[in-house]
Amino acid sequence: MNRSLPPELPADAPPLPDAHARTPADLFAQLASSDVGLSATEAYRRRIRWGENRLPANPPTPAWRRWLRQFHNLFIYVLLTSALISSLIQHWVDAGVIMAVVLINATIGFIQEGKAEAALRSILRLSKSQCLVMRDGQSFTLDSQLLVPGDVVTLQAGDRVPADMRLFYNKSLHCDEAMLTGESQPTEKSVDAVPLDTPLAERRTMAYMGTMVTFGTARGLVTHTASRTQIGQISELVQQVSLPETPLQRQLAQLARQLTLVILLVTAATAVFGFLVRDYSLAAMFQGAIGIAVAAIPEGLPAIVTITLAMGVERMARKHALVRRLPAVEVLGAVDVICSDKTGTLTANAMTARLLVTSTARFTISGEGYAPIGDIQHHHGRSPSEDEQQQLNTACSIALSCNDANVTEDDGDWNIHGDPTEAALHVLALKQGLNAADHARRRPRLDTLPFETEKRYMASLHQTANGAREIAIKGAPDQLLHLCRYQWGPRGIEPLDKHYWEAEVNFLTNQGMRVLALANKAAADNASQLHHDQVAAGGLVMVALVGISDPPRAEAVAAIAQCQQAGIRVLMITGDNPTTAAVIGRELGLAADRVVTGAELDQVAPQDLPALAEKVSIFARTSPANKLQLVQALQAHRHTLAMTGDGVNDAPALRQADIGIAMGQKGTDAARDAAAFVLTDDNFATIVGAVAEGRRIHDNIVKSIVFILPTSLAEASVILLAILFGWLLPITPAQILWVNMITAVTLTLALAFESPEANLMQRPPRPRHQRLLTPRLLYRVMLVGGIGAATIFLLFRWQLQSTGDIELARCVAVNALVCFEAFYLLTARSLHDAIWHRRYWAGSGPALLSIALVAVMQLAFTYWPLSQEVFSLAPLAPAHWLILVAATSPILLLVELEKAWLRHAHRRWSLHQPGVPGHVHF
C-alpha cells in the first residue's frame, strides 16, 4: 500500500455500496486514501463538502404546535362554531360553557403529551463518541462527528463503531450487531472480500456505525458517514413512513361526521318547517336551530374520551408502559397481530450457557441472563453424581481460567465486562459454585494466547495449587477435536471418541446454539510462556462442550400463551439465522414448522406477500425493508398490528405499525422515537397487561358514547317536538348546557373508572372495521333516547298544564333529565352484564359517588336564588321529586330487559357456532 499521504478525492468519486465485496487496495484507490490516513487539510475539505458524521435529528415539536394540535377535531370545530354563533346572538352563558369544555379538553391532551415527551427524554441515552483516527500519518483521538470518507480508524474492544468502514487489518475483531441485524451473537470479522449479494448480517469485512466492538482490534477505512451509513439509510426509511391514524381516531372522526351531518340536516329542516308551517319569526327559528344543535352535539364527548385515554396512560405508566401519543392508548385493545423482534424482546439479549456435554452425559443449566442464579442438572433431572461433579468442576475451571470477561452486580442488575460469550462461560462457572477471585488466586495465569481467527481458539497457562503447570483451552469444536487425542472420562483420561463428540456438536448446533469446546493439558513444570506449538504438540484432553444461546424470557413464553388465548397472533420477525429463530420460536410456543428468510421474501410477489404472512409465524434474516413489507402486508389484510422491537433495524416497521412498541432500557433511540409505546422494563409480558388495558379503555369509551348520545338525542328531540307542535321549549339552551356540563364531569366521567368486563382477555379482538356504534348499540341509543324524550316531554306538558308556570315546568323537565341519566348510569356500567350479579357492583364506588355529587349540584341548581335567576327556574316541592323518581327509574329495568334478551339471543346463536365464547359481542 502507498505509505505517502493520499491525494485529494476526485470530485466525481462514486458511492461505495459494494465496499464489502472489494479489496482494501481497490477502496484506498477509490477514496484517494492510504493506510496512514488523510491529511488534516483534506479531511477538512471533505467535511465541508459532505458535512459532519451525524444523523439529522428531528427537532422537538414546539409547545404552541402541540397546543393547536389539540383542536384538530371535527367535534371541536363544531363546538367552536356553536360558541361563535352563541356569542353573536349574545348568549354569553352558552358560549362560555362551550369554550370551557373545549379548553379543558385541549389542556388535558396538551399536558399529557408534554408529560410523555418529558418522561421519554429521561430515558434516552444521548452521548458523544470519540474514536482513534490516523491524520497526517499520526493517531489522534477525535470526535466521531468529524470523520469523513477516506479516514482510517482503529477499533478496540469496548468501542462503538463511529462510521461504516471496510476492514483492512483484523486481529480477532468481534462486533455486536444485534441493534442493526438482529443477530444475537457477536459477529466475527475478516478482511477477505465476500460476494456482492452477501446479506448484511454476514458481511464480515464491514464494521457498521452504531455497533459495538466486543473483542479484538482492527483498522478500517471509512466508506460511509452520516445518512449514507446503514443506520442513516434506515433513518431515512423511517421518515418516509407516515404515522398511521389509530382506529379510535378514524371511528371518532366518522362518528363526528355522521352526527354533524344529521344535526345540520335536522336543524335546517326544523328551521324551515317552523318558519313556513308554524309561522315562527326568523329570529325565533334561528334561536331554535341553535338550541337543537347545542342539544344534539355531545360536547362533553371529546373531553371524556381524552380523560379516559389519559387515565389509561397513567395506569399503563404504573405498569411500565410509557405512552408517547395519547390516541395510541386504545389501539392495543384492537390488536389481533403482534410482530415481535427476537433479540432483547422475546429473549433476554444475554448469552447464556444452557447445555454442557461431557464424555458421559448432557447437563442442563437453569437460569437466564448474566445473573449467576441457577444450577446444573443431569438431563434426566437428577443431580450429578460424584464422578460427574468432578468432570463439571474441571470443565467450569477451564471456562473460568481461559476467560477475559467478568460480571458485576449494581443495585441488583448484573452487567458484563468483555465478550458476551466469555461472560456466559464466566456465569456458568459461578453457577457451579466456583469463586472467581479465589480461583484466580489458586490458579494464577502466567501467559495467554489470545483468540485468533486463524487458530480459532484461546489458550492460557496456569500454575495449579500443587505447583504444577496446566494449559486451559477453549475454542471451535472442530479445531479442538483435531488437536485432541484424549478425553476426560469417569475413570480419568481415556482415548478420544471423536464420533461421539461430533454427534454432540451436531445436536447442540441443531438446537440453535453456539458451541464451544473446553480442553486442557499438562505443561512443563518450568513453563512460563505459552506458544501455539505447545498447544498443538499432542496430549490435549477434551473435557466438555458448552452450548450457548440467547434464551427466551420466561415471562415471554407465558405472555405469548395469553396472547393466543386472547385471539392475538404472535409473529417473530428477526435478523438472526433461521435455525436459531426456529429453536427459540418452538420454545416460545410459536409454529416453527416453516421459517421464511429475508432472501425468500425478496422473491415473493407483492400480491402474494399477505397470504404468506397469514401462514408463517417466524421470519429470519430479515432486513428493515422486509419488516416494513410484512407489516404493510398484514395491514392490507385488515389486521390491527402491533410491532415490538429495540433495534435501529426495527424503526421503520415500528412507525408503520398501528402501534409501535419499543424497549426503553436496551432499545435504541431510533426505535423509541419511532414507537408510540415504550416499555420501561423491556418486558414482552408488559404488552399483555397493556392489551388488557387497551380493551378496557375501548369498552369504557363505548360505554361513555352509549351513555352520552341518548341524552343528546332526548334533549334535541324535546326541542324538535316543541317546534313541530308549535309549543314552548321544555328546556332552554342554557339549561341544556348546564346539564351536559355537570353530567359530563361527573356521571360520564365515572365510566372511565369502570373495571374490566368479564372475560376481557378470553374474547377475540374486535374487527378492525367495527364501528364504535354497532347496530345493537345504536338500537340501545335510540331506545333510551326515545324513552328519555317521551318522559321529559310528558312531565313538562303535565306540569305546564297543571300550573301554567313555565319556569316550574322547565325546572321539572331539567331535573327529570338528570334523574333519568342517573338511573341510566347504573345500568350503563356494563354493556351486557346484568345489574343483579355480585361482580357488577364491584368497583361501583365512582358511579355512586358521581350520582351523589350530581344530586348535590342539582339541588343547588334548583334552590339557589342566583341559579334560579340565571336559568329562569322555580323551586320544586318534595312531591315533585317523588314523581320524578317514579317516572325516570323504569329506564333501569327496561335496559336490563334488553340486555337479558341480547344475552339469550347470543347463547342460542353460539350453540350452533363451535368455539364462539358465550358472551354477547357488541
Side-chain angles (χ1 to χ4, degrees):
M1 294 182 188
N2 182 17
R3 288 286 174 181
S4 62
L5 293 179
E8 290 187 18
L9 182 67
D12 58 348
L16 304 170
D18 57 348
H20 60 280
R22 300 169 66 177
T23 65
D26 184 21
L27 289 172
F28 275 119
Q30 182 79 23
L31 289 171
S33 184
S34 74
D35 59 352
V36 296
L38 302 172
S39 68
T41 302
E42 176 61 15
Y44 175 77
R45 190 179 295 119
R46 296 186 185 192
R47 190 165 69 252
I48 295 298
R49 176 182 173 188
W50 282 334
E52 292 190 339
N53 178 36
R54 57 182 176 184
L55 300 178
N58 293 326
T61 304
W64 64 267
R65 183 169 294 173
R66 283 195 293 114
W67 171 254
L68 291 179
R69 192 163 56 199
Q70 310 308 317
F71 298 89
H72 184 52
N73 178 288
L74 184 56
F75 271 141
I76 300 300
Y77 295 152
V78 174
L79 290 175
L80 291 174
T81 303
S82 299
L84 176 61
I85 294 174
S86 298
S87 299
L88 292 176
I89 62 175
Q90 299 184 354
H91 284 202
W92 306 115
V93 174
D94 299 354
V97 172
I98 294 174
M99 287 305 302
V101 170
V102 170
L103 292 175
I104 290 172
N105 175 66
T107 302
I108 291 172
F110 176 78
I111 292 174
Q112 182 56 44
E113 284 192 14
K115 288 170 62 178
E117 290 298 328
L120 185 69
R121 284 194 297 270
S122 69
I123 293 176
L124 298 181
R125 298 185 293 272
L126 301 176
S127 60
K128 288 186 177 181
S129 62
Q130 293 186 323
C131 54
L132 192 62
V133 186
M134 293 287 288
R135 293 278 173 85
D136 292 313
Q138 298 181 4
S139 294
F140 293 93
T141 300
L142 295 179
D143 191 319
S144 61
Q145 293 183 2
L146 302 180
L147 288 180
V148 295
D151 267 326
V152 171
V153 176
T154 300
L155 299 175
Q156 299 175 339
D159 289 348
R160 187 171 294 278
V161 179
D164 286 4
M165 59 184 66
R166 171 64 161 89
L167 303 177
F168 63 86
Y169 169 80
N170 176 39
K171 189 70 173 178
S172 304
L173 189 76
H174 288 67
C175 291
D176 181 357
E177 298 180 338
M179 54 84 72
L180 184 63
T181 66
E183 178 67 62
S184 57
Q185 299 178 6
T187 302
E188 181 181 347
K189 295 299 181 178
S190 171
V191 298
D192 298 327
V194 296
L196 185 61
D197 59 352
T198 302
L200 182 68
E202 299 174 8
R203 295 178 185 176
R204 310 292 184 187
T205 60
M206 297 294 296
Y208 291 108
M209 183 180 186
T211 61
M212 183 68 72
V213 177
T214 62
F215 185 81
T217 62
R219 287 200 297 274
L221 176 68
V222 174
T223 57
H224 303 85
T225 57
S227 59
R228 294 171 292 276
T229 62
Q230 287 293 326
I231 285 182
Q233 293 176 27
I234 294 174
S235 297
E236 290 184 353
L237 187 60
V238 170
Q239 297 305 316
Q240 294 172 10
V241 179
S242 59
L243 287 174
E245 189 180 37
T246 70
L248 180 64
Q249 287 174 317
R250 289 194 298 270
Q251 293 163 354
L252 285 175
Q254 183 184 40
L255 180 63
R257 289 192 298 268
Q258 293 171 343
L259 284 177
T260 301
L261 178 61
V262 171
I263 290 169
L264 292 177
L265 290 176
V266 171
T267 300
T270 305
V272 171
F273 178 85
F275 178 72
L276 297 178
V277 178
R278 293 298 179 187
D279 293 327
Y280 284 107
S281 66
L282 283 176
M285 276 297 86
F286 191 69
Q287 184 177 359
I290 291 296
I292 293 176
V294 169
I297 294 173
E299 60 265 14
L301 184 58
I304 292 301
V305 170
T306 302
I307 292 171
T308 304
L309 293 174
M311 291 173 58
V313 167
E314 296 299 330
R315 285 192 291 263
M316 287 185 178
R318 291 194 293 269
K319 298 176 182 178
H320 309 291
L322 174 67
V323 181
R324 298 189 63 236
R325 292 189 289 273
L326 195 61
V329 179
E330 178 270 348
V331 180
L332 277 173
V335 163
D336 60 352
V337 176
I338 298 177
C339 295
S340 178
D341 181 40
K342 177 182 73 68
T343 305
T345 306
L346 295 172
T347 65
N349 196 19
M351 300 301 292
T352 305
R354 305 182 69 192
L355 283 174
L356 187 148
V357 177
T358 66
S359 62
T360 57
R362 296 175 188 158
F363 299 88
T364 59
I365 306 156
S366 62
E368 63 182 43
Y370 297 117
I373 301 172
D375 55 18
I376 304 175
Q377 293 285 329
H378 195 281
H379 73 290
H380 289 314
R382 62 174 175 81
S383 298
S385 65
E386 185 175 344
D387 288 340
E388 290 170 340
Q389 283 287 8
Q390 184 176 358
Q391 288 179 293
L392 290 174
N393 285 335
T394 302
C396 291
S397 175
I398 297 171
L400 196 58
S401 301
C402 191
N403 198 322
D404 290 329
N406 62 76
V407 296
T408 58
E409 183 182 14
D410 182 16
D411 293 331
D413 294 327
W414 288 87
N415 303 308
I416 69 167
H417 306 276
D419 181 77
T421 301
E422 289 197 326
L425 294 176
H426 186 99
V427 173
L428 167 65
L430 298 185
K431 290 178 179 178
Q432 179 61 14
L434 301 184
N435 181 283
D438 182 60
H439 188 271
R441 285 192 299 269
R442 290 188 297 103
R443 294 172 55 85
R445 184 188 292 188
L446 304 179
D447 197 13
T448 304
L449 290 176
F451 179 89
E452 293 183 13
T453 303
E454 296 79 10
K455 301 295 183 181
R456 300 172 61 215
Y457 64 76
M458 173 185 176
S460 56
L461 176 65
H462 299 268
Q463 179 175 309
T464 63
N466 59 11
R469 307 293 167 93
E470 180 182 290
I471 301 173
I473 307 102
K474 75 169 188 294
D478 57 341
Q479 180 71 356
L480 264 61
L481 285 174
H482 174 71
L483 298 174
C484 286
R485 296 182 183 178
Y486 307 99
Q487 67 186 31
W488 276 101
R491 290 173 297 277
I493 297 177
E494 58 188 33
L496 180 74
D497 183 353
K498 190 172 184 180
H499 294 295
Y500 167 80
W501 293 104
E502 288 176 342
E504 291 301 308
V505 169
N506 289 333
F507 171 78
L508 295 175
T509 302
N510 291 334
Q511 297 300 308
M513 297 185 183
R514 180 180 184 183
V515 186
L516 287 179
L518 304 176
N520 66 359
K521 66 177 293 186
D525 291 342
N526 61 350
S528 60
Q529 292 184 330
L530 190 58
H531 304 283
H532 288 293
D533 291 343
Q534 295 169 270
V535 176
L540 201 61
V541 181
M542 176 66 70
V543 177
L545 299 173
V546 181
I548 300 172
S549 68
D550 181 17
R553 294 175 180 262
E555 62 271 20
V557 178
I560 288 177
Q562 286 183 280
C563 286
Q564 292 168 340
Q565 185 182 29
I568 301 171
R569 184 170 168 239
V570 179
L571 277 65
M572 180 198 296
I573 306 177
T574 178
D576 213 337
N577 69 74
T579 302
T580 301
V583 171
I584 296 297
R586 279 191 291 268
E587 294 183 27
L588 289 166
L590 302 178
D593 52 329
R594 183 184 179 189
V595 177
V596 174
T597 65
E600 294 176 78
L601 286 175
D602 291 336
Q603 304 302 316
V604 177
Q607 64 271 19
D608 297 332
L609 193 56
L612 178 66
E614 293 286 355
K615 298 176 182 177
V616 179
S617 296
I618 301 176
F619 298 87
R621 280 286 186 257
T622 54
S623 67
N626 292 144
K627 295 184 179 185
L628 184 59
Q629 289 169 345
L630 285 169
V631 170
Q632 292 171 333
L634 288 163
Q635 288 175 327
H637 267 206
R638 301 184 69 81
H639 288 292
T640 301
L641 194 87
M643 174 75 193
T644 73
D646 61 351
V648 175
N649 57 329
D650 300 317
L654 287 172
R655 189 174 177 90
Q656 173 66 40
D658 295 284
I659 185 77
I661 307 171
M663 303 297 113
Q665 295 179 356
K666 295 183 179 179
T668 59
D669 294 350
R672 288 190 290 260
D673 189 56
F677 270 74
V678 176
L679 301 183
T680 59
D681 61 353
D682 283 15
N683 191 340
F684 182 86
T686 302
I687 298 172
V688 177
V691 168
E693 185 61 38
R695 292 187 175 189
R696 171 187 179 177
I697 289 169
H698 180 270
D699 284 352
N700 289 348
I701 289 174
V702 171
K703 292 174 189 176
S704 299
I705 293 173
V706 175
F707 180 77
I708 286 178
L709 290 188
T711 304
S712 298
L713 177 60
E715 293 168 349
S717 298
V718 166
I719 297 177
L720 178 61
L721 288 173
I723 294 175
L724 292 178
F725 288 104
W727 295 333
L728 295 173
L729 296 181
I731 306 177
T732 66
Q735 292 168 349
I736 288 172
L737 286 171
W738 161 263
V739 173
N740 290 352
M741 182 179 68
I742 66 163
T743 56
V745 298
T746 52
L747 299 182
T748 314
L749 184 59
L751 295 174
F753 293 89
E754 281 303 314
S755 301
E757 296 276 334
N759 302 318
L760 184 72
M761 292 300 289
Q762 281 73 50
R763 72 191 191 202
R766 67 182 185 274
R768 184 182 182 91
H769 61 276
Q770 180 174 299
R771 297 181 178 182
L772 283 169
L773 282 180
T774 62
R776 288 175 176 173
L777 292 179
L778 185 58
Y779 167 76
R780 184 175 298 175
V781 168
M782 302 299 291
L783 173 68
V784 175
I787 294 173
T791 302
I792 296 166
F793 199 81
L794 290 174
L795 285 172
F796 169 76
R797 294 297 301 172
W798 164 76
Q799 186 63 48
L800 184 62
Q801 291 175 358
S802 299
T803 63
D805 189 340
I806 184 61
E807 293 185 349
L808 179 60
R810 283 176 172 167
C811 191
V812 168
V814 171
N815 282 289
L817 177 60
V818 174
C819 290
F820 183 86
E821 289 192 58
F823 283 113
Y824 180 45
L825 176 68
L826 294 177
T827 187
R829 292 183 54 238
S830 175
L831 295 174
H832 52 77
D833 282 349
I835 193 173
W836 47 79
H837 287 163
R838 180 179 300 177
R839 70 169 180 267
Y840 189 91
W841 293 98
S844 60
L848 297 177
L849 178 61
S850 68
I851 291 174
L853 289 174
V854 166
V856 172
M857 287 188 289
Q858 201 60 24
L859 288 172
F861 172 78
T862 303
Y863 295 107
W864 188 25
L866 179 60
S867 174
Q868 293 175 357
E869 182 178 350
V870 171
F871 292 100
S872 303
L873 301 172
L876 300 182
H880 286 118
W881 294 107
L882 295 176
I883 294 172
L884 290 176
V885 170
T888 58
S889 58
I891 189 60
L892 194 155
L893 178 60
L894 292 173
V895 174
E896 285 301 316
L897 289 174
E898 186 247 359
K899 288 197 288 185
W901 176 79
L902 287 176
R903 289 194 299 271
H904 174 71
H906 182 78
R907 279 194 297 269
R908 291 189 60 184
W909 174 78
S910 61
L911 289 175
H912 304 285
Q913 304 291 329
V916 176
H919 62 272
V920 180
H921 289 270
F922 285 88

